[in-house]
Each structure stands twice: as C-alpha cells, then as structure tokens.
Amino acid sequence: MATETAIFELLQEMTAAGKTVIVVHHDIYSAVNYFDWFIMLNLHLVASGPKETVMTEELLRKTYGGKLNLLTKVSDLIRQKEFNPLKN
C-alpha cells in the first residue's frame, strides 16, 4: 500500500506541474480515489469521461461482463461520493 501511495503521489505532482498522465490500472477501488477521468475498454471503447459519468452499473457490466455485485456497489458509492477504501 505504501508503494502505491508513493506512486500516486508522484503522478499527482506531475499533474499539478501541468503534465498529462496516462495510466493503465485495473484496480477500480484505488483508481476512483486517484483519477478523475476514465477510459473503459473491453476489446473496444466502452466509455470515457469523468468517473461520476462512466462508473455506472451498465458501463461496468459492459466493461467486465457477468454479474457484478461488488462493482455495482462501488459504482453506487462513487455516485454518492462516499467511496474511500482507505477509510475504516
């Protein structure tokens, strides 16, 4: 966790310095805390935009397929702005 935090702090510093940062990241739980714009792919572009727009049940299903109980809950929490995996 400390390494991930250090990496994301560096990415945030780069962004604050005016750099464009593009990251491939598969962990939705941490990604929603660090990034504000998402591109979702599943062999083709499914969606792109602000996390509040693309983190929906429908788009998560199109991206990941199958039944997504946990991911659906995450998308609901993101829209409600209550998601913070670091919070106990």
Side-chain angles (χ1 to χ4, degrees), residues 5 13-14 24 31 33 35 45 47 51 58 65 78 82 85:
T5 302
E13 288 174 18
M14 293 171 67
V24 175
N33 286 310
F35 305 111
L45 178 65
K51 66 183 169 186
E58 176 187 358
I78 291 167
E82 296 176 6

Side-chain angles (χ1 to χ4, degrees), residues 17-85:
K19 304 290 183 189
T20 298
V21 177
I22 298 173
V23 177
V24 175
H25 195 55
H26 295 93
D27 182 356
I28 293 175
Y29 309 107
S30 65
V32 296
N33 286 310
Y34 295 110
F35 305 111
D36 55 2
W37 187 272
F38 284 78
I39 297 173
M40 299 171 83
L41 303 169
N42 183 350
L43 301 177
H44 65 280
L45 178 65
V46 174
S48 67
K51 66 183 169 186
E52 294 83 10
T53 303
V54 300
M55 288 294 175
T56 66
E57 182 177 351
E58 176 187 358
L59 294 176
L60 287 168
R61 286 186 187 281
K62 286 181 180 179
T63 303
Y64 290 95
K67 190 169 172 101
L68 300 171
N69 291 333
L70 185 57
L71 292 176
T72 298
K73 182 170 174 112
V74 170
S75 71
D76 291 342
L77 292 172
I78 291 167
R79 283 194 306 277
Q80 296 168 14
K81 300 182 188 233
E82 296 176 6
F83 184 75
N84 183 352

